[in-house]
Amino acid sequence: NAGVVFDIDFADLFSNNIFLGIVTGLIVGKFLGIFGITFLLLKLKLVKLPKKMTVSHLLGISVLSGIGFTMCLFITTLAYDNPQHVTQAKIAIFAASIIAGISGYILLNRKPKNETGSISAS
């Protein structure tokens, strides 16, 4: 449905910064934005986490935010005219989404670090 045709030479996938930029932006950028700002607000005591939610949960959810399809694919069609660049971008979106999904799943399903089941924000 996303219209990705894998007729690209995978060596060409890294011929420019499109693939790396999108993967980094979705995984690192979204994580830093969501986790960083929320954790800062927690430290400044401007917000509180919902009951039964821990910073560990916030960490996992922030990593999951790297999953991006609809808007990323839409913006890709607006940003690039070159079909090879569009394909590179779409493959990067899928790769980042898979990495973020697996990483978020692992983080959310790991055992708590202390007996109370939470990691302290203080």
Side-chain angles (χ1 to χ4, degrees):
N1 284 341
V4 177
V5 180
F6 290 97
D7 64 348
I8 188 172
D9 180 11
F10 283 94
D12 289 341
L13 197 58
F14 302 104
S15 64
N16 55 42
N17 293 330
I18 293 172
F19 182 86
L20 186 59
I22 290 172
V23 170
T24 304
L26 284 173
I27 294 174
V28 177
K30 286 181 130 183
F31 168 78
L32 287 176
I34 292 170
F35 184 81
I37 295 298
T38 306
F39 193 75
L40 177 66
L41 293 173
L42 286 169
K43 287 293 199 176
L44 294 173
K45 300 186 189 282
L46 296 173
V47 298
K48 291 182 182 179
L49 290 175
K51 291 180 182 176
K52 297 187 180 183
M53 184 174 175
T54 66
V55 174
S56 182
H57 293 132
L58 177 63
L59 181 75
I61 292 167
S62 298
V63 170
L64 282 177
S65 72
I67 298 173
F69 285 120
T70 308
M71 285 310 296
C72 291
L73 294 173
F74 173 69
I75 292 169
T76 294
T77 61
L78 296 176
Y80 301 110
D81 293 329
N82 183 331
Q84 183 176 359
H85 293 167
V86 172
T87 300
Q88 290 172 336
K90 288 180 178 182
I91 292 171
I93 292 164
F94 290 129
S97 296
I98 290 167
I99 293 167
I102 291 170
S103 300
Y105 175 82
I106 290 169
L107 287 170
L108 289 171
N109 284 300
R110 67 184 175 168
K111 299 292 181 204
K113 291 197 179 217
N114 60 30
E115 293 177 21
T116 63
S118 65
I119 298 173
S120 175
S122 54

